[in-house]
Amino acid sequence: MRTTQDPELMRAFAAEVKARRGELGISQEELAHRAGVNRTFVAKVELAQNQPSLTVLHKLSIGLELDLPDLMSKTLTRQRRTARESVRSE
C-alpha cells in the first residue's frame, strides 16, 4: 500500500502551527477549542504525527486566525527554507 504522507511537509506544517500559536499566545487547548478539535489532536499535529483532513485544516486555520491559503503558503515557504538549509549543511 502506498503512503500519501509527506514527512517533510508534515513537519513544516507542525512547525507553522506551533509558531503561529506562539505568536497568538494561546495554548494547544485554546487552539483546540477555537478549532473545534481535540487538544490531543492538536498536540499530534504539532508533533507531525497526524495528517489533518481538509476540513480540519480549515478549522485549524480559523483557530489560528489565518485564511487557509495563507496557512498553507506559510507552510510551503517553511518547507522550502528547511530543504535549502538541509542542502547547505550537507
Side-chain angles (χ1 to χ4, degrees):
M1 184 170 151
R2 292 184 339 187
T3 180
T4 58
Q5 293 183 345
D6 180 339
E8 291 178 9
L9 181 60
M10 288 175 63
R11 283 191 294 274
F13 182 73
E16 194 57 44
V17 169
K18 188 172 184 176
R20 178 62 179 167
R21 188 173 57 75
E23 290 171 10
L24 293 173
I26 61 173
S27 65
Q28 289 178 342
E29 189 169 343
E30 177 61 22
L31 174 56
H33 176 74
R34 291 179 178 197
V37 299
N38 190 290
R39 190 212 51 86
T40 57
F41 184 85
V42 171
K44 287 183 177 186
V45 165
E46 288 188 3
L47 292 170
Q49 294 176 346
N50 271 0
Q51 181 172 299
S53 67
L54 181 57
T55 300
V56 174
L57 284 173
H58 183 247
K59 288 179 174 188
L60 288 171
S61 73
I62 291 168
L64 293 168
E65 300 175 9
L66 287 172
D67 289 330
L68 182 55
D70 292 337
L71 178 57
M72 295 314 301
S73 176
K74 289 174 178 283
T75 298
L76 294 172
T77 297
R78 183 181 293 270
Q79 181 188 23
R80 286 190 292 269
R81 184 175 57 239
T82 302
R84 281 194 308 269
E85 290 169 358
S86 177
V87 168
R88 276 190 236 139
S89 69
E90 291 179 353

